[in-house]
Amino acid sequence: MFEAKARPIAWPLFSFYFFFCCLVGVMMPYISIYYKSIGLSASEIGRLMSTFTLSGILVPHFWGWLTAKVGLPKKVLQLAVLGCFISVIPFNWSDQFESLWLITCTMALFYSALIPMTDALAVRSIRNLNVPYTRLRVGGSIGYVVAVASTGFLIGHFGPSVVIPVMCSYLLLALITTFFIKEQIYVVSQAKESTSFISLLRTKEAMLFFTLAFLSYMSHAPFNVFFAVHLENAGYSGQQIGLLIAFGVIMEIILFLFCGNLVKKFHLLHIMILCFVCGAIRWFLVGWFASILWVLVLTQLFHCVTFALFHMVSIEWVRGLFPERYASQGQAMYSAFAIGLGGGLGMVGSGYLWEWLGDAWVFTIASCISLLALLILWASQYRR
């Protein structure tokens, strides 16, 4: 999988992605079931889950500044993982919305920085190695599948109370893994820049990309928060929910492993169109036909397009928009505006809409958001 000279750097990063995404594979699909089991309402669940993404608007910028100031990305990453681990422990003894909200805000200060920091560290570490970024990132997809499938099994046998202890376990393993990552010193260029980062952000291409990314993550919000609850309401067991989610991520793994250079063979806008077309179809089918197993399998097959392929396009688009000296800031802005603001607002909105309109209409609105992104894409090309 990795050449001999790349293994000392690649395998620790691969392993960290694995264990951290194990945490994500427990938290994103199943913590809503845990919250529901302790009596929280859908709007309260939406507000709690949105804290993680809304914090991504500002938090990654602080950690990026700290990394540049200290010059030791590994140490800063370890600090963030340790803080996240310590923050999760009190979840074991909290069952009121107010206390859970305070703990979630504390955890989000550390959690929201981990993926942008790891992505920046990974891209920098493999710069001179024959290792595609997707080959490292697939470790996270594998971890997500393992966690989703195993946690669904545990919930089916022991109930939703297992969710928090399993999250603590995976975070501890991720923390241990950081000690094996090879230190990559962050070198800050002192050269004067002819074009500022703000000027690059104001270009039409950058504004188009961030708008599309914002809408993509907003459309995924009901899936990230309520998909497991939606399937539970449709009569599926914990094991079945885990297997369905795992199937979608297995498709993601296949794409990451074998199609890492796909984005270089086609125009990025054409791939974006495919992502949003599949998104519009996927969310509509999930909303109205969740009781039909083969339809759910088809929608989970689309996961490798709506999420994995879109993420690959986004990484490539950010690289094209910003020169290397602004790469970290570009990644932080992508995380803040798309994942943070888009996903966060989507989670808050889906929580309230879930109570007002019902689950099917929430996913229908997600489908309409994908159609809106397609309309914006068409309008941007028409104007040219």
Side-chain angles (χ1 to χ4, degrees):
M1 188 170 182
F2 301 115
E3 296 179 358
K5 66 177 183 179
R7 289 171 190 165
I9 293 176
W11 277 117
L13 289 167
F14 178 95
S15 301
F16 180 80
Y17 274 117
F18 177 89
F19 288 118
F20 177 72
C21 288
C22 280
L23 166 71
V24 179
V26 176
M27 185 171 67
M28 285 302 176
Y30 296 123
I31 201 170
S32 57
I33 293 179
Y34 169 73
Y35 286 150
K36 181 183 175 184
S37 72
I38 61 176
L40 298 186
S41 66
S43 60
E44 289 174 332
I45 294 172
R47 278 180 281 168
L48 286 175
M49 294 301 294
S50 68
T51 304
F52 293 107
T53 48
L54 288 173
S55 64
I57 299 172
L58 296 176
V59 168
H61 297 289
F62 164 75
W63 289 98
W65 168 84
L66 183 61
T67 301
K69 190 74 173 179
V70 175
L72 299 172
K74 173 182 172 180
K75 300 299 182 184
V76 177
L77 179 63
Q78 286 175 325
L79 176 62
V81 178
L82 177 62
C84 193
F85 172 67
I86 294 174
S87 301
V88 171
I89 295 175
F91 276 85
N92 290 285
W93 306 288
S94 303
D95 58 3
Q96 299 298 314
F97 173 76
E98 292 76 11
S99 59
L100 285 169
W101 185 80
L102 289 173
I103 298 170
T104 302
C105 287
T106 303
M107 178 185 175
L109 293 175
F110 302 97
Y111 172 87
S112 302
L114 293 179
I115 282 297
M117 288 172 61
T118 308
D119 283 343
L121 179 60
V123 170
R124 189 179 306 115
S125 298
I126 62 175
R127 184 184 305 162
N128 299 317
L129 301 174
N130 187 27
V131 179
Y133 161 79
T134 54
R135 197 66 61 82
L136 298 176
R137 183 62 179 80
V138 77
S141 301
I142 295 172
Y144 191 93
V145 170
V146 170
V148 164
S150 60
T151 306
F153 176 83
L154 291 173
I155 290 175
H157 283 77
F158 303 105
S161 60
V162 302
V163 170
I164 304 303
V166 173
M167 286 173 56
C168 291
S169 300
Y170 283 132
L171 261 176
L172 179 60
L173 290 170
L175 177 61
I176 294 172
T177 304
T178 61
F179 289 94
F180 297 93
I181 294 176
K182 299 295 183 180
E183 183 69 272
Q184 302 294 318
I185 303 299
Y186 184 88
V187 180
V188 181
S189 175
Q190 301 298 326
K192 297 292 184 181
E193 308 298 343
S194 58
T195 303
S196 69
F197 178 72
I198 298 299
S199 298
L200 294 172
L201 278 179
R202 290 175 177 173
T203 62
K204 290 183 178 179
E205 187 178 4
M207 294 175 67
L208 173 63
F209 165 72
F210 285 115
T211 300
L212 295 175
F214 174 91
L215 293 174
S216 176
Y217 280 93
M218 178 176 279
S219 71
H220 276 77
F223 173 80
N224 291 333
V225 180
F226 292 115
F227 184 64
V229 175
H230 183 54
L231 297 191
E232 189 178 54
N233 292 341
Y236 292 91
S237 67
Q239 294 93 324
Q240 289 173 321
I241 295 171
L243 289 173
L244 282 167
I245 296 174
F247 173 71
V249 186
I250 288 172
M251 296 299 101
E252 173 187 322
I253 291 171
I254 293 173
L255 187 75
F256 278 148
L257 279 176
F258 301 106
C259 304
N261 294 320
L262 184 67
V263 295
K264 298 180 181 179
K265 297 180 180 180
F266 299 93
H267 197 287
L268 296 181
L269 286 176
H270 295 163
I271 301 177
M272 282 277 192
I273 291 173
L274 174 64
C275 293
F276 287 118
V277 168
C278 289
I281 297 171
R282 181 187 185 189
W283 305 133
F284 180 81
L285 292 177
V286 167
W288 296 100
F289 300 97
S291 59
I292 305 174
L293 180 60
W294 72 264
V295 173
L296 274 184
V297 172
L298 176 63
T299 62
Q300 285 303 92
L301 178 63
F302 284 170
H303 182 76
C304 68
V305 178
T306 63
F307 174 74
L309 185 59
F310 186 87
H311 181 66
M312 290 166 58
V313 172
S314 297
I315 294 295
E316 192 67 25
W317 205 328
V318 168
R319 286 178 178 175
L321 286 173
F322 304 101
E324 186 174 342
R325 58 184 174 270
Y326 292 135
S328 296
Q329 289 174 276
Q331 183 64 37
M333 183 58 66
Y334 166 57
S335 176
F337 189 75
I339 304 175
L341 187 60
L345 292 179
M347 287 179 178
V348 172
S350 62
Y352 285 104
L353 291 171
W354 192 274
E355 294 180 344
W356 296 340
L357 303 176
D359 47 3
W361 282 105
V362 170
F363 283 103
T364 302
I365 292 172
S367 177
C368 291
I369 292 173
S370 294
L371 291 175
L372 174 61
L374 279 173
L375 180 62
I376 292 173
L377 261 176
W378 175 82
S380 69
Q381 299 308 297
Y382 178 77
R383 290 171 182 171
R384 293 180 181 180

